[in-house]
Amino acid sequence: MKIDVLTLFPDMFSAVMSESMMWKAREHGLLEFEVHDIRDHAGNKQRKVDDSPYGGGGGMILKADVLTRAIEAVRQHDETPVILMSPQGRVLTHRVAAELSQCERLILVCGHYEGVDERARQLAINDEISIGDYVLTGGELAALVLIDAVVRLIPGVLGAEGAQHRDSHADGLLEGPHYTRPSEFRGLRVPAVLTSGHHAEVDRWRRRQALKRTWERRPDLLEKAVLSEEDRAYLSQLKDEAGD
Ligand code: ADE
């Protein structure tokens, strides 16, 4: 996959994209990553990229001509998703990340100031994504969140051992608890089933823990999750035990 980012703050990407899994993905040729400074397309000596909004109201708006030029300089094919990071976009979920992980190329546009001129949106942007219902000072951190969530789903990035299929949200549920050595820590023991060597029992325990955690913390997710008869019976049991 190739990801191009358009930003006014290129340095914000260097640390994150040069560490850990994102770096490994680049090292292994699974990800090509390039940052472009929108200011290089200002087209004036002062490198001015924004202006005050028509109709007043304060704040500054990223200019349509500058942003459109910057995007057109990077985009080679019309079908490439050009995604504006914005609190007005569709919300990033596991499903959206999985959809984007299938793309060969993504162009991410980081807005700043009060917003971008609507005509740049109309002419050069074809998707808009938010990372949650809150407002950041700019799209850079949101773009980094999206990149991480998408790139870890590219086959090979987490290695053969990657357990993405068991991630929280991958099957609509939260993940249950994990343990590693030692088997006892400050009087707390690892659940016996995990050291039993009985794989079917381990799977059943993990499924039940995932259901329990989701029911306790995010019951809204259970409405959309795909549940078996056994899952439903277990949830009824939990509810009975809680006196619901
Ligand atoms: N830019 C500012 N706030 C944002 C958000 N919540 N998601 C994506 N981009 C943003």
Side-chain angles (χ1 to χ4, degrees), residues 85-87 129-132 134-136 138-139 142:
M85 302 312 302
S86 134
I129 292 181
S130 163
I131 62 161
Y134 42 83
V135 179
L136 302 166

Side-chain angles (χ1 to χ4, degrees), residues 75-129:
R75 187 174 57 189
Q76 283 151 5
H77 304 287
D78 278 351
E79 65 273 20
T80 303
V82 180
I83 303 170
L84 176 67
M85 302 312 302
S86 134
Q88 297 163 28
R90 59 187 177 127
V91 176
L92 180 64
T93 58
H94 174 80
R95 188 188 293 254
V96 173
E99 168 203 318
L100 297 177
S101 73
Q102 308 286 318
C103 297
E104 274 177 27
R105 193 148 185 232
L106 297 176
I107 299 174
L108 306 182
V109 180
C110 302
H112 243 273
Y113 314 123
E114 200 55 30
V116 308
D117 188 303
E118 188 64 20
R119 292 161 297 183
R121 251 202 188 96
Q122 286 171 348
L123 294 169
I125 285 161
N126 50 32
D127 198 354
E128 203 163 325
I129 292 181

Side-chain angles (χ1 to χ4, degrees), residues 140-158:
E140 285 76 13
L141 291 173
L144 284 166
V145 168
L146 183 147
I147 292 167
D148 191 288
V150 168
V151 170
R152 68 189 292 287
L153 296 178
I154 298 172
V157 169
L158 297 189

Side-chain angles (χ1 to χ4, degrees), residues 182-189:
S183 61
E184 184 177 337
F185 177 65
R186 297 192 181 176
L188 299 175
R189 294 198 65 82

